[in-house]
Amino acid sequence: MSTREIERALAAAVAAAGIAAMVWWPADSVAPAEPEPDEIALEEPAPGDAVEPEPEEEPADEAEPEPLTEPEPDEVPPAEPLLDDAGIAFSWMPAGDLAEDSGTGQLLQINYAPGMRFPIEAGQAYANSQVYGYGGYLGPAGGQCNAANYAYSWRDNFCETRGYGTPMCPTGHGHQGQDIRPASCNDGVHQALASADGTITSIGSYSVRLMSDDGVRYTYLHLDKPSLQVAVGDHVTRGQPIGFVSNEFGDTATTIHLHFEIKMAVETGGGIQNTSVPPYLALVDSYQRLLEGEED
């Protein structure tokens, strides 16, 4: 073989070896080109790559809860006592609480005439029984002017034992009204007033009846008849003078007091009846308003 032929054979062998090296050399053994600094970016992790978790923040120390305590109740100041015109504190017994051994009271706590005017002018009066009180024929020994009759507390006497048919009382009989003594044991000096706007419908030997414009009848017993300030048919306004508290009782005298009644149509357990109803709580309410200065 000539020298030229030998050189050609060697050149072909070198070329073949270079091609084989390109085919079988691992691609990742070639160092990648460094990216330009501005082009560097965070790469998303490939699926399945383990990612180191972010460290959890340590929770802040929680303050110890304050122990639960019951709230202090608001103090309710005691109600100021209502003082009458003499500066004496007013007090009253519950409805139906009668004088001892005087009967069985009606315990229903109902004001049958809210808003009525107290039937005596001055803010000093004493609701109690004239029959079972001092000077009464069933009361303790002593005269009607005994100081015990002119002192608080007030006491209901609508259902005390009497002979009048009264379906609003547990026994079916009672007094039908409330006795009220005026400020002092003086006849004919303490003014009785109209409890509501209405018309004077009758005047008897010792009674005056006032029918209110809304159909409630108020009866005043034992007013001094010669000095009455109204006549049958007169229309009166609430608070208008009617007469003076006395001991008038026809041919015989009674104690100095006002017997006051309220009559209206009510359910009595046997149907609707026009009957006397307990006036006690209406009197308590109207007296309190009088002492509070709500009346002229």
Side-chain angles (χ1 to χ4, degrees):
M1 180 181 292
S2 64
T3 302
R4 181 168 290 281
E5 288 177 343
I6 294 171
E7 291 176 350
R8 286 178 179 174
L10 289 172
V14 170
I19 292 170
M22 290 178 66
V23 172
W24 297 106
W25 194 265
D28 56 1
S29 65
V30 179
E34 289 289 332
E36 294 296 326
D38 292 341
E39 295 179 359
I40 295 176
L42 295 175
E43 293 184 359
E44 293 290 329
D49 289 349
V51 179
E52 186 175 349
E54 292 290 329
E56 294 184 1
E57 293 184 5
E58 290 292 329
D61 291 338
E62 294 185 2
E64 289 292 326
E66 293 290 332
L68 295 177
T69 57
E70 291 292 330
E72 291 292 330
D74 292 335
E75 290 190 6
V76 178
E80 290 292 328
L82 286 176
L83 304 182
D84 67 12
D85 288 356
I88 301 169
F90 170 56
S91 62
W92 51 282
M93 302 296 287
D97 187 337
L98 309 184
E100 187 176 0
D101 297 327
S102 69
T104 303
Q106 169 59 270
L107 301 179
L108 291 177
Q109 304 294 305
I110 299 176
N111 180 348
Y112 287 96
M116 79 171 195
R117 209 278 184 200
F118 188 67
I120 296 179
E121 180 179 27
Q124 187 181 359
Y126 305 96
N128 52 51
S129 174
Q130 64 89 28
V131 167
Y132 288 88
Y134 289 95
Y137 70 91
L138 294 176
Q144 64 167 313
C145 296
N146 189 294
N149 290 340
Y150 294 86
Y152 301 114
S153 297
W154 276 16
R155 204 149 201 173
D156 187 3
N157 79 323
F158 177 75
C159 288
E160 70 182 9
T161 302
R162 302 285 189 96
Y164 307 107
T166 310
M168 298 296 287
C169 290
T171 65
H173 292 80
H175 179 209
Q176 297 186 326
Q178 175 67 43
D179 293 336
I180 312 169
R181 299 177 197 267
S184 65
C185 190
N186 297 108
D187 187 5
V189 299
H190 301 288
Q191 191 92 60
L193 308 179
S195 287
D197 295 348
T199 302
I200 303 299
T201 57
S202 72
I203 295 177
S205 59
Y206 56 91
S207 65
V208 174
R209 290 190 169 92
L210 163 64
M211 180 65 73
S212 74
D213 292 343
D214 57 1
V216 177
R217 193 184 79 180
Y218 299 95
T219 298
Y220 300 73
L221 301 186
H222 315 307
L223 298 184
D224 181 53
K225 190 170 184 179
S227 60
L228 288 179
Q229 296 160 274
V230 292
V232 174
D234 286 353
H235 187 274
V236 297
T237 58
R238 183 178 182 277
Q240 180 175 329
I242 292 177
F244 292 92
V245 179
S246 181
N247 62 355
E248 185 71 54
F249 199 25
D251 295 333
T252 59
T254 183
T255 56
I256 298 167
H257 73 284
L258 172 67
H259 169 102
F260 181 76
E261 294 180 12
I262 299 175
K263 189 173 186 178
M264 62 175 64
V266 293
E267 171 60 55
T268 63
I272 300 295
Q273 295 186 50
N274 195 37
T275 186
S276 296
V277 297
Y280 186 70
L281 290 180
L283 290 165
V284 169
D285 176 54
S286 60
Y287 191 66
Q288 289 176 323
R289 286 186 278 106
L290 179 61
L291 298 188
E292 288 168 349
E294 297 179 15
E295 302 288 356
D296 294 334

